[in-house]
Structure formats: structure tokens, C-alpha cells
Amino acid sequence: MTAPRAHPRALHARDGGDVLRTKICCTIASFGYDNIGRLIEGGMNVARLNLSHCTREEAETAITDLRRYLKEKNTTAQVAIWLDINGPKIRTGKLAQPEVHLKAGDEFTFVNDATVIGDNTKVTSTYTKELLKAGDKLFVDDGLLSFTVKERIPEGILCSIDNSGTLGEFKGINMPSYVIEELPAVSSKDALDISFAMKHNVDFITVSCIRSLEDIQEVRLLLGNSKTKVLAKIENKRGLDNFEDILKTADGIVIDRGYLGAEVDIEIVTMEQKRMIMLANIMGKSVMVANQMFESMKTNPRPTRSEAADTANAVMDGADGLVLSAETAIGHYVFEALDVMRRVAAQAEKNTNYLDYQVKMTRSVPKPISVSESIASSAVLTASQVNAAIIIVVTELGGTARLVAKYRPQIPVIAATLVPQTARQLAATFGLVPYYHDGTDANVIEETVNFAVELGLCKPGDIAVITSGQSVGFLEGTTTQMQLYTIPDTA
């Protein structure tokens, strides 16, 4: 007899029978089996591995540990794996120490020789062409460090340090006065990283500094028939200018405010974030907000009030997910950051008028809509009218479930699928509780109802609205039926 599957604490219904709808992504590195398990139990929905800061060997170990934990604990938790690849992002090189302190007014050299090990007087750069001239500015590490070019010298460029601060390894470099087009979207290393992603069947991939839909298409070409989803990471002015074309092509969006804020005037970033979230919502594509969410929690046990407010506003604006970057990758308060972010997001959800959101979405979506979307939006409306406890979406590739989530129903949505990767990928969509059913179509609804009852999301006598998604012969996202179902006493 098969042992019953365990439900992690974070999946269980809170007071009032609801669950946290906002998805939390944690950046992990050399974490180890036990710590990854703590993050899963604490409510991590997506695990991000940044190949600009870890090796493929370290990433492979983390992937193995995460999947082994889920299998050994026989848990119903669905945790997506997201691989972040460097792309055309310019970075600093290796240092003699993990961090060095730079003092304002001192001279500092960006050298062209990639074999040089940096210190507090110099560092290598992945961009070596003669572009900058005296008086130009460079920003490093999302603008935390600023440099002014003094002169070109044979080995690189000599700069003056504008402000004191700490320089780490492999930090992003912005040259705000220039648009650098000649860097390929996918370098030879990136191509190997994409092969690594396919080998390990990761769920999402991002390439940093996406500039245009052509960059997305180049990544898709390398992915071939892989089911890995491509998220477009918006972190430069070119990506911002081409956002609507990129949105149409990508499977989802990541708004990286740190690097973006070093290239675009800071007062513009907040408004652009709201605009990008709104457009992604209308398209029904997942959008995550990243970078400097709880930056102070790298070294402090609590976020600042402004960080908490920033996080809450992202949720209330319509973000599907929130990304913890350095807070969990190298921070001192990893588990506290995850817990506090979940609590802040939960409070923001309680104070968001999702009925008003549904009305605005219905008005904003370009007409005519597809039959599938019509049924999905009707399911949300019907659930409200009959006071349903849950919506169940049976789907193969996730299209139907995402359409239901697009209209932000006020009740939990269980996305049931017989495809393991679909379940993991749906862990990045707002409001969905993914359920992987390892049986057959014949009993998927019965077992999904049992799952929802065990989590406390519904009880016998409650009404469930059920939509059936893609079937054999239909395109992804095709919805064939909607029905009302009363939860039986035997569920």
C-alpha cells in the first residue's frame, strides 16, 4: 500500500480557510539537504540558482538535494527550479578575497586581462572593448558603487572612486551613457548552461539583460522541444523600451529593479514596475519582482519599514511572486527573511480588493477573448455567485489554470495535473495550489478533492467549481467544460 503523501505546513489553510497566494522565490547556493528542506517546509515555491554566482557542480548538488528531499518526504509540495544565466550582462571578475572595501577618492582600475585577480585597486571586467572615455560614469552592484573614468591606459581604464563601499565578486556593471548591442544574447558559456538546464529538466530559465524579442527567440532556439519556460528578466533600458514585444514572446517576466535602477532614472523605476505588472496581468503571464526586496536582511533580523511597504505594494499591484536574492543566497537571516516575506504578503493580500481587480481585468482584456478564457473567467464569477469554497482546474500543460488565476478569484484554486513539470511550473503563478496526481484521469477529481479537504481548504457540503483543461487533440489552454460539484461526506 502506498504511504499517504505529507503536506508541508505552508500548504495548510490559514484561519478563514485560505492560503497564501503570492509565490515566494528563494535564491539558493551551497545550502545543503537540511536547509533546503527547511525552506520547502517554510513555504518556498521557487528555488533560484544563479549560474553567475555558482558553478554547475554546485547547482547540480542543490537540484539533487531539493528533489531528493521532496521524494524522501513524499510531500505534496511543488517547488519549481529556476536557473538564472548571465546573458549579455557585464560583470566584474574574481577577487583575492570575497569582498574588498573601496574608499572614495582613491584610484581604481578596470583591467582587460581576465587572468588578473582583483583587489581594492583593480578588478577585471567581462567587457574589454575601448568604449568609455574620460568623464564617463560606471555603476557596479546595482549602483551601490560609482566610478568616474579618468583616462584610458594600456591595461584598461583608470577611474576615481566616487563613493566608499564594498565590492564583491562577479557584480553587474552599468555604463548608463551607452547602449551596448554587440554582446550576444547567449554566450558560449550560456549555451552550455542552457544544455545543463535541459539535462536536469529545470522548470524555468532566465537570461539576464534581455533586450528584445530576438534575444528570447535565440534562447528558445537552443531549448528546442524542451518544456522549460523562458522568463524575461527586465533590467536595462533596451528591455524596458521593448517590453511589450518581449512580453508577447516570453512565458513570464522578472522585474530586476536593482540593475534596472542603475541604468534608468530611479524615479522612473517604480512607475515602470507598476506598468509592467499591469501589462503582464492583462496577458495572464506570471510576473515576479526581484532585487533589494529585503536587502537589509542580509545582515539584520528584520526588514526596514520601507522594504516591507515596497513588498506589500508589489503584491497589491498584482505581482505573482516575490524574489529573495542575496537575502537567502548569502544572508545571515535566510529563514527569517522567508517567514517575514510571507507574513507581509499575506497582510497585503488581505487588504487588496480582488473583486475590484476582477472588474478592472474584465474591462482591460482586449476583446474578443478566447473560448477558454471565457470559461475560465466565468468559473471565477460562478464561484463567487454560488459561494464556492474552491475552484479545481484539471489541466495538462497549465494554460487553463493560468487563465483562471488571471482573474484573481477570492478562493483557493487547486491546479490538478498528471504532468509533474506542469505542477512545478504552476508553483510560480499567483493563487494556484498545484497538485500532481500520479494516478489516471478517471479519479483525478476525486483525489484532488481529497487533497483540498486534507489541507482544510474545503469540507463536505461545500461547493467546488471544476473546469477541465487541455485534453488529447486540443491546444494548450483549451477548456472543454465547467461544472459545479458538492464535496461529498466521503471525501
Side-chain angles (χ1 to χ4, degrees), residues 50 227 272 385:
N50 189 347
K227 298 298 183 184
E272 287 296 329
Q385 291 174 333

Side-chain angles (χ1 to χ4, degrees), residues 189-313:
K189 177 187 180 298
D190 295 333
L192 291 173
D193 289 342
I194 291 173
S195 295
F196 172 85
M198 290 190 289
K199 174 185 174 183
H200 291 280
N201 196 30
V202 305
D203 306 299
F204 297 103
I205 192 170
T206 51
V207 175
S208 292
C209 290
I210 286 293
R211 300 161 297 193
S212 64
L213 65 85
E214 287 80 13
D215 288 353
I216 296 285
Q217 290 167 343
E218 188 171 341
V219 176
R220 286 204 188 281
L221 191 63
L222 289 172
L223 285 172
N225 294 324
S226 169
K227 298 298 183 184
T228 297
K229 299 285 187 184
V230 180
L231 305 178
K233 204 172 178 188
I234 306 300
E235 49 184 333
N236 58 28
K237 190 173 186 305
R238 284 274 280 119
L240 198 60
D241 291 342
N242 295 321
F243 178 73
E244 292 185 42
D245 287 338
I246 291 170
L247 177 62
K248 292 173 186 175
T249 311
D251 296 306
I253 297 294
V254 179
I255 304 172
D256 188 328
R257 296 101 50 87
Y259 199 79
L260 182 61
E263 190 159 310
V264 177
D265 289 339
I266 195 68
E267 65 272 18
I268 294 174
V269 173
T270 302
M271 295 301 106
E272 287 296 329
Q273 174 179 312
K274 290 177 180 291
R275 181 181 73 92
M276 287 188 282
I277 290 174
M278 178 192 69
L279 292 174
N281 287 169
I282 292 171
M283 288 284 290
K285 296 191 176 183
S286 292
V287 54
M288 293 192 279
V289 179
N291 211 309
Q292 299 178 345
M293 302 300 292
F294 282 175
E295 188 78 3
S296 66
M297 286 196 75
K298 287 193 299 183
T299 53
N300 297 313
R302 287 172 295 279
T304 64
R305 306 306 177 265
S306 58
E307 287 171 337
D310 172 49
T311 297
N313 277 319

Side-chain angles (χ1 to χ4, degrees), residues 101-107 145-147 159-165:
H101 183 73
L102 305 186
K103 184 180 176 183
D106 285 356
E107 290 187 339
L145 287 167
S146 173
F147 303 83
C159 298
S160 174
I161 302 171
D162 296 333
N163 65 286
S164 299

Side-chain angles (χ1 to χ4, degrees), residues 122-160:
K122 62 184 178 299
V123 74
T124 61
S125 163
T126 56
Y127 186 81
T128 58
K129 293 190 176 181
E130 294 188 7
L131 176 69
L132 299 173
K133 60 183 185 299
D136 285 340
K137 291 283 187 182
L138 283 87
F139 297 114
V140 174
D141 195 5
D142 299 337
L144 295 180
L145 287 167
S146 173
F147 303 83
T148 300
V149 178
K150 294 181 71 173
E151 61 175 314
R152 298 203 64 85
I153 55 178
E155 59 268 33
I157 53 170
L158 179 66
C159 298
S160 174

